[in-house]
Amino acid sequence: VINNYLDGTQKGATDQVSPSCMHFRDSRRKVDYVLAYHYRKRLSQQPPNASSPEPTHRSASTALVSNGGTGKGHVELQQQDSGLHAEREQPGLEVMELGPLDALEEEKRLQREEYERNLVEAGLEIEKDPENKSQGLGFVRIHAPWQVLSREAELLKIKMPTKKMYEITEEGGILKKLNEIWCKLTQPLQPQVPQQGNTNMKILSYPFSREKIYLYNIKDKDTFFDNATRSRIVREILKRTSTKARNSMGISTLIANNVYEAAYPLHDGEYEGQNDDMNERKLLYREWARYGVVYKFQPIDLIRKYFGEKIGLYFAWLGLYTEFLIPSSVVGIIVFLYGCITIESDIPSKEMCDQRNAFTMCPLCDKFCDYWNLSSACATARASHLFDNPATVFFSIFMALWECFIFFKATMFLEQWKRLQMRLSYFWDLTGLEEEEEHPRPEYETKLLQKKLKNGNITTENSNQDEKEKLTWSDRMPGYAANFGLILFMITMTFSAVFGVIVYRITTAAALSFSSSETTRSNVRVTVTATAVIINLVVILILDEIYGAVAKWLTEIEVPKTEKTFEERLILKAFLLKFVNSYAPIFYVAFFKGRFVGRPGHYVYVFDGYRMEECAPGGCLMELCIQLSIIMLGKQLIQNNLFEIGIPKLKKLFRKLKDERTEPKEMDTNQSKNPQQWELDYILEPFTGLTPEYMEMIIQFGFVTLFVASFPLAPLFALLNNIIEVRLDAKKFVTELRRPDRVREKDIGIWYNILSGIGKLSVIINAFVIAVTSDFIPRLMYQYAYSQNGTMHGFINHTLSYFNVSHLKAGTQPENSPFAEDVLYCRFKDYREPPWSQNQYEFSKQYWAVLSARLAFVILFQNLVMFLSVLVDWMIPDIPKDISEQIKKEKSMLVDFFLKEEHEKLKLIESFLIRDKQKDKSETKGERLRAASFCQLNRSRKESFTSFSSQHTEV
């Protein structure tokens, strides 16, 4: 390879050509990838009579430009190395012994040089700037020529556009008219993104093949492969190129060993500015990544083209999920408004608020709590009716059915997603995409190398034996054991935190009951509930961050082989821990609070003198609503928005300050006034994957679906959050993050199964919330089984049991109660036999009847929804009919196109052969004519010497 070494002192040579922000210094070759590294030069020690210090390494002051030739580069490398050795042997120079830090830097430098030589041997072209500082940041710019791109595209089986285009047949009839009307109505909402030709025409794509290069529409070799595809090809070469030092395989190992600092493709220029140069990044910023265009649809095709299929699928899924929340929000608002309208006509609430109904309730705590009137809980009962009304059941059934339309075979949301995913796969040429062989992770290679060293077979030359060598269960057993133990410990810690909040509620309620202030005693329940929920929120936010780090560490000690396996295991662990952390307090309020209280005279105590907490007189549904709303809104506001905005900016500032502190303030003769694109992109935050983005949406989806019966406004708040979240994520990807590597994926992976599981679990949980937590079943039972006139009059009295105050245990009676002498019986909420019954305080027949009705409702609700889910799954095919027909049509057209091109190729070959034959014939005829004329000349000459009577002709 021809390598030009430009001396840093010859400024005239370098300043003549001004490098473009996206090209090499020749302004022709694109920068397809960039490697960044920190360097630290070692200076030699001079004798005292020396005039000035001189660097030992001259190579540090040169710039390497690989021009893609052959042969000359190795000679120049050898000449430069020999020159350096001769320079070191000159008298007057005393080379210092390498210290530990210098030895490490020297080893990194040698590894970089070897790795870059291997990249050049692989066909890539590289360019480096002179290292003019004693220490600083260096960049290696990489360009892939056409030969490398075509070779790798064939190996990776990348589908590229051919010369053939065909028209997409659209469904006719009423669907076509409705689609046209919808397109006209939503025209102002469409992003102003230039369409690639006619939208009704699709280019036929086929995996690239150099042998069939005549099939492809190659107008310009420099633009045939777009920037994302070029960077993907270079990334594959970087991952498989190895170095002998430490047996490192690929760029991931070198980055893990700090040989290189980062490796990333470049963004397409600046995203804002006054210049008129429009690029895809600037277009995405103007039409997608600003809050000013929040009302517009997402340009999914442009997102996919710029960031790749994996990120494009994420934003397509997020958009569909946000659309799913619109009808859910409308129904939730209707349910809430229905509760507001009917609050004055709700008979149980009117009975509870009527002060003429003297329901004297039993004390809420021992000794210090007095008897109280049920009408004092009027506000709680009215608030509960806003969410616990007959429309809530309709809303829960609607939500369960709506889930069936979105998620895998059980939910309709998954059905819609599968159809959209298949449609995108067709238009993005992902149909028939094969699983690519992944390279092992650096940690896996290190562990495998340690095992080989331990077994003593590191020097074996049998490649088959090396391939069979892998980590077994016994090698991973310590990691699995640590995973099992630590995950159990973390789940136990979550339950301990929930139990700690329960103890706080009990002790705080008891302490506030001792207060001499009447206002404090009357607001005990509200104060305890609000403060406990805030504590729960803070604990959840802290544990979420801890669990994310712990899940990553646990996955690392498992030593998964590939990045895909690592990502899937990390997702499962993080989701399990965060699921338990986020929903444990809500599960407690929904299904456990107030269930194990006992009864007056026989209460259950946590500690000495502290009773288990009870639900409010209106039930636990209102408290569940408060708990769910505060935790959900708090997580969305603090964790999903403030953390997403603030933490990347703080990391960026910290990295900038760190670089300024570590780099000396020296004049860099090579640095231009305007920073280059690779320098601007290095400052950005590295892309770490989509796991955090998916995780926050999955947890939100759980809030929206699992307990939606208790908080019908949850979809509305989720919708408002997601409208902002889409633009927040868009702005982060366009402006705050380095450009991710393009990854071709045809689905959303393991998240699909998690969403399906949540969709099925939500059906069961909503059934139990309606049956157990709310008063829906007791009200129905009373109205149709126990009411004398078929109305709700008398429902409150029906749900309250009697207790003889003389049966209270000694020391638990209210002290200094003004009503003690007047009260013979107090009431408590439960279905129990009265004190004058033979089986006093035992569960009554009404209790068992209501319990049977609740279980029957759960079974009926669950099976009905599951049946409808299966029915919907059967009625709606996973692949849309038009897409299925287009795929079949595309396959047949591809065969016809091949046959036609092969036929034309054969005709062309035949024409060449015929032309060659004719040429041969003409050449043969010409030779004969020349031979005849030559013979005639000879004969005329000979005729002057021979007799004219001779009739023979010499040929």
Side-chain angles (χ1 to χ4, degrees):
V1 178
I2 300 174
N3 297 306
N4 296 335
Y5 290 89
L6 304 177
D7 194 346
T9 59
Q10 298 174 355
K11 296 181 181 179
T14 59
D15 292 342
Q16 288 176 0
V17 180
S18 178
S20 170
C21 64
M22 299 291 294
H23 293 78
F24 276 14
R25 290 185 177 273
D26 56 11
S27 298
R28 291 186 295 105
R29 290 174 290 175
K30 284 184 179 180
V31 178
D32 298 320
Y33 221 86
V34 175
L35 305 179
Y37 63 93
H38 279 102
Y39 65 87
R40 179 176 177 271
K41 291 160 64 175
R42 177 175 57 86
L43 299 178
S44 62
Q45 184 179 7
Q46 277 200 317
N49 57 357
S51 59
S52 62
E54 190 72 23
T56 302
H57 296 286
R58 278 191 55 191
S59 60
S61 63
T62 59
L64 168 65
V65 184
S66 166
N67 294 324
T70 57
K72 185 179 176 182
H74 298 291
V75 177
E76 293 191 3
L77 284 173
Q78 292 175 1
Q79 289 177 355
Q80 190 190 33
D81 289 342
S82 61
L84 290 175
H85 288 299
E87 201 175 67
R88 292 191 185 105
E89 293 174 359
Q90 289 178 1
L93 282 178
E94 181 182 351
V95 180
M96 298 174 58
E97 293 185 2
L98 293 179
L101 186 60
D102 289 331
L104 182 61
E105 290 295 328
E106 185 72 12
E107 182 183 359
K108 291 180 181 178
R109 185 183 66 82
L110 294 176
Q111 280 187 272
R112 286 196 295 268
E113 289 179 356
E114 181 188 0
Y115 185 70
E116 290 159 15
R117 278 198 302 269
N118 294 340
L119 292 180
V120 172
E121 290 177 0
L124 297 177
E125 301 175 7
I126 63 175
E127 180 183 70
K128 296 176 68 175
D129 289 329
E131 299 173 357
N132 295 326
K133 297 182 180 180
S134 59
Q135 61 179 359
L137 184 65
F139 295 96
V140 179
R141 299 178 287 280
I142 301 174
H143 169 76
W146 169 258
Q147 293 82 359
V148 176
L149 293 173
S150 58
R151 179 192 71 204
E152 297 297 323
E154 184 174 358
L155 292 175
L156 297 173
K157 299 179 180 179
I158 298 176
K159 285 188 174 182
M160 299 304 296
T162 63
K163 299 176 183 177
K164 179 67 175 177
M165 294 182 65
Y166 67 95
E167 186 177 1
I168 301 174
T169 56
E170 297 181 351
E171 295 183 1
I174 189 171
L175 291 177
K176 184 178 181 180
K177 293 182 179 179
L178 290 175
N179 186 38
E180 291 177 354
I181 294 173
W182 173 253
C183 291
K184 289 181 180 179
L185 292 175
T186 58
Q187 184 63 35
L189 306 179
Q190 298 294 338
Q192 301 299 318
V193 177
Q195 298 291 335
Q196 304 249 349
N198 191 355
T199 56
N200 293 329
M201 303 295 292
K202 185 176 185 297
I203 301 176
L204 197 64
S205 298
Y206 184 73
F208 188 80
S209 173
R210 287 175 290 180
E211 293 181 356
K212 296 181 175 62
I213 199 168
Y214 55 87
L215 298 175
Y216 304 98
N217 187 21
I218 304 177
K219 297 179 180 178
D220 186 358
K221 289 184 177 181
D222 292 334
T223 58
F224 180 66
F225 297 100
D226 59 13
N227 292 342
T229 305
R230 296 173 70 99
S231 64
R232 177 193 171 197
I233 290 174
V234 175
R235 180 72 181 187
E236 289 297 324
I237 299 176
L238 294 177
K239 287 197 292 187
R240 69 166 184 258
T241 304
S242 61
T243 59
K244 295 179 181 179
R246 296 189 181 181
N247 294 319
S248 61
M249 284 292 295
I251 188 63
S252 300
T253 308
L254 296 175
I255 292 176
N257 295 332
N258 294 321
V259 177
Y260 288 101
E261 188 74 17
Y264 52 91
L266 291 181
H267 278 292
D268 290 354
E270 298 181 359
Y271 62 89
E272 58 182 356
Q274 300 300 327
N275 56 344
D276 296 331
D277 296 336
M278 180 59 67
N279 55 62
E280 292 180 352
R281 187 188 187 192
K282 184 179 291 186
L283 191 60
L284 282 172
Y285 179 74
R286 289 185 179 180
E287 297 297 327
W288 179 53
R290 294 187 302 115
Y291 293 111
V293 293
V294 71
Y295 61 93
K296 290 187 177 182
F297 292 122
Q298 299 185 88
I300 295 296
D301 291 329
L302 185 60
I303 297 169
R304 168 253 177 182
K305 182 183 177 184
Y306 191 79
F307 292 110
E309 285 75 11
K310 188 173 184 178
I311 296 176
L313 283 174
Y314 163 71
F315 282 103
W317 174 85
L318 182 58
L320 183 64
Y321 170 49
T322 305
E323 291 177 7
F324 147 77
L325 293 172
I326 295 175
S328 310
S329 303
V330 172
V331 177
I333 293 172
I334 292 173
V335 171
F336 181 76
L337 294 177
Y338 175 83
C340 294
I341 294 171
T342 60
I343 191 170
E344 296 296 334
S345 60
D346 183 52
I347 296 175
S349 299
K350 291 170 65 177
E351 289 185 352
M352 186 179 292
C353 296
D354 191 356
Q355 297 184 359
R356 293 174 296 180
N357 297 328
F359 295 114
T360 303
M361 306 299 291
C362 296
L364 296 175
C365 64
D366 296 341
K367 290 185 182 181
F368 301 99
C369 295
D370 200 357
Y371 303 104
W372 56 287
N373 199 317
L374 186 60
S375 60
S376 62
C378 176
T380 307
R382 285 174 172 268
S384 298
H385 178 73
L386 296 176
F387 304 102
D388 189 7
N389 55 66
T392 304
V393 180
F394 162 73
F395 181 70
S396 302
I397 296 174
F398 167 81
M399 286 302 299
L401 293 178
W402 189 259
E403 293 158 22
C404 300
F405 279 94
I406 275 221
F407 299 99
F408 182 62
K409 287 190 177 179
T411 58
M412 191 176 170
F413 175 33
L414 268 192
E415 282 302 319
Q416 284 290 49
W417 168 243
K418 284 193 292 186
R419 292 168 64 83
L420 175 60
Q421 190 172 255
M422 195 63 209
R423 190 175 295 274
L424 292 176
S425 297
Y426 165 70
F427 284 104
W428 293 353
D429 295 320
L430 298 176
T431 53
L433 182 67
E434 299 178 0
E435 290 287 338
E436 297 179 2
E437 184 180 356
E438 291 193 70
H439 300 279
R441 299 176 62 248
E443 293 80 3
Y444 180 87
E445 292 178 341
T446 304
K447 190 77 173 179
L448 188 60
L449 180 61
Q450 293 174 356
K451 180 182 178 181
K452 291 179 179 179
L453 290 172
K454 185 178 179 181
N455 296 336
N457 60 350
I458 186 65
T459 59
T460 180
E461 296 180 357
N462 190 353
S463 60
N464 294 330
Q465 184 176 352
D466 288 341
E467 289 177 2
K468 292 180 181 178
E469 191 80 27
K470 61 181 181 180
L471 298 182
T472 60
W473 272 87
S474 58
D475 300 321
R476 291 191 173 100
M477 188 54 67
Y480 291 149
N483 270 263
F484 181 76
L486 276 175
I487 288 175
L488 282 182
F489 173 75
M490 292 296 171
I491 293 176
T492 306
M493 187 169 70
T494 301
F495 291 151
S496 302
V498 175
F499 181 73
V501 176
I502 294 172
V503 173
Y504 163 80
R505 296 161 70 111
I506 295 172
T507 54
T508 305
L512 293 177
S513 300
F514 302 157
S515 175
S516 58
S517 173
E518 180 64 26
T519 305
T520 304
R521 289 199 305 270
S522 61
N523 295 318
V524 167
R525 195 179 298 276
V526 176
T527 304
V528 171
T529 300
T531 55
V533 172
I534 293 174
I535 293 173
N536 268 327
L537 175 61
V538 173
V539 171
I540 287 172
L541 293 177
I542 294 174
L543 290 182
D544 259 357
E545 300 302 319
I546 295 174
Y547 288 165
V550 169
K552 186 176 180 180
W553 179 74
L554 289 176
T555 310
E556 288 174 349
I557 64 176
E558 278 188 25
V559 199
K561 184 176 181 179
T562 62
E563 286 294 341
K564 185 175 182 180
T565 309
F566 178 87
E567 186 179 12
E568 289 180 352
R569 295 185 182 182
L570 174 63
I571 289 169
L572 285 176
K573 293 180 183 64
F575 174 73
L576 175 63
L577 294 174
K578 294 190 176 185
F579 181 89
V580 175
N581 182 43
S582 299
Y583 302 127
I586 302 174
F587 268 93
Y588 163 73
V589 175
F591 303 120
F592 297 100
K593 184 179 179 181
R595 313 294 171 194
F596 310 101
V597 177
R599 59 171 178 81
H602 196 271
Y603 284 113
V604 177
Y605 292 89
V606 181
F607 301 108
D608 292 338
Y610 293 104
R611 281 162 37 180
M612 284 292 293
E613 57 179 345
E614 304 178 39
C615 290
C620 282
L621 194 68
M622 187 60 202
E623 188 172 343
L624 177 62
C625 172
I626 296 173
Q627 184 103 0
L628 181 65
S629 59
I630 293 180
I631 292 177
M632 177 183 174
L633 296 177
K635 279 179 66 67
Q636 288 183 352
L637 180 63
I638 299 174
Q639 191 176 42
N640 298 354
N641 292 327
L642 294 182
F643 284 7
E644 275 196 54
I645 297 172
I647 290 180
K649 290 186 180 297
L650 290 176
K651 287 183 178 179
K652 182 179 177 181
L653 178 62
F654 176 76
R655 189 168 57 250
K656 183 178 180 181
L657 294 176
K658 181 182 176 182
D659 291 340
E660 290 178 354
R661 187 173 66 251
T662 54
E663 292 186 14
K665 295 182 179 180
E666 302 176 19
M667 183 64 67
D668 191 352
T669 58
N670 184 66
Q671 187 176 6
S672 60
K673 295 181 180 180
N674 298 323
Q676 300 297 327
Q677 188 63 45
W678 47 85
E679 297 172 339
L680 296 174
D681 286 2
Y682 176 78
I683 301 174
L684 301 178
E685 189 72 15
F687 175 69
T688 57
L690 290 171
T691 300
E693 316 299 333
Y694 272 114
M695 187 66 71
E696 66 182 70
M697 289 295 103
I698 298 300
I699 296 297
Q700 184 204 83
F701 180 75
F703 283 120
V704 169
T705 56
L706 293 179
F707 299 96
V708 71
S710 63
F711 188 40
L713 294 179
L716 175 63
F717 290 111
L719 174 64
L720 297 176
N721 174 80
N722 286 7
I723 292 174
I724 301 174
E725 180 72 21
V726 170
R727 306 303 164 178
L728 183 63
D729 285 347
K731 188 174 182 181
K732 182 171 67 174
F733 273 87
V734 174
T735 66
E736 299 290 338
L737 297 178
R738 294 174 190 161
R739 188 172 185 173
D741 293 303
R742 182 171 187 171
V743 180
R744 289 178 69 85
E745 294 283 354
K746 57 183 178 181
D747 52 40
I748 60 175
I750 196 172
W751 298 110
Y752 189 80
N753 301 325
I754 293 175
L755 290 166
S756 175
I758 293 178
K760 294 175 181 178
L761 183 62
S762 66
V763 176
I764 302 172
I765 292 180
N766 276 306
F768 275 98
V769 168
I770 296 171
V772 177
T773 310
S774 74
D775 284 338
F776 175 72
I777 299 299
R779 292 188 182 196
L780 284 182
M781 287 292 297
Y782 176 77
Q783 186 174 0
Y784 297 105
Y786 299 106
S787 177
Q788 296 179 357
N789 53 7
T791 63
M792 293 300 294
H793 291 286
F795 172 73
I796 297 298
N797 185 51
H798 177 74
T799 58
L800 298 177
S801 299
Y802 287 90
F803 181 78
N804 193 336
V805 296
S806 62
H807 294 166
L808 289 172
K809 290 183 179 180
T812 61
Q813 299 90 345
E815 294 181 352
N816 303 322
S817 174
F819 312 105
E821 297 180 358
D822 301 331
V823 176
L824 297 177
Y825 298 98
C826 64
R827 310 292 295 272
F828 64 99
K829 190 173 182 179
D830 207 346
Y831 292 101
R832 291 184 181 267
E833 296 289 345
W836 53 82
S837 173
Q838 293 181 353
N839 301 320
Q840 60 180 2
Y841 308 132
E842 296 291 332
F843 288 117
S844 62
K845 294 179 181 179
Q846 289 86 348
Y847 171 82
W848 298 110
V850 170
L851 181 61
S852 302
R854 283 173 167 168
L855 295 177
F857 175 82
V858 169
I859 296 172
L860 180 64
F861 183 89
Q862 177 183 343
N863 285 279
L864 175 63
V865 172
M866 289 297 181
F867 169 75
L868 293 176
S869 302
V870 174
L871 182 64
V872 166
D873 184 34
W874 175 75
M875 293 176 61
I876 301 178
D878 295 343
I879 304 176
K881 185 179 179 181
D882 59 330
I883 296 298
S884 178
E885 293 176 353
Q886 293 293 341
I887 292 174
K888 294 177 182 178
K889 177 182 176 181
E890 187 173 290
K891 289 181 179 178
S892 63
M893 291 185 64
L894 191 61
V895 174
D896 295 340
F897 178 62
F898 278 170
L899 293 175
K900 182 181 178 182
E901 290 293 329
E902 289 293 334
H903 182 65
E904 291 181 357
K905 181 181 177 182
L906 289 174
K907 287 175 64 178
L908 186 64
I909 293 174
E910 289 176 358
S911 65
F912 280 133
L913 291 175
I914 293 172
R915 188 185 305 171
D916 289 342
K917 278 185 178 182
Q918 292 175 351
K919 187 176 181 182
D920 291 342
K921 286 181 180 180
S922 62
E923 288 179 354
T924 305
K925 188 176 180 181
E927 289 176 359
R928 288 181 178 177
L929 289 173
R930 286 194 299 272
S933 60
F934 179 74
C935 293
Q936 185 68 25
L937 177 63
N938 288 339
R939 189 178 64 179
S940 62
R941 288 179 179 178
K942 288 181 180 180
E943 281 180 354
S944 61
F945 298 101
T946 58
S947 173
F948 288 99
S949 63
S950 176
Q951 301 296 323
H952 298 283
T953 304
E954 296 181 5
V955 178

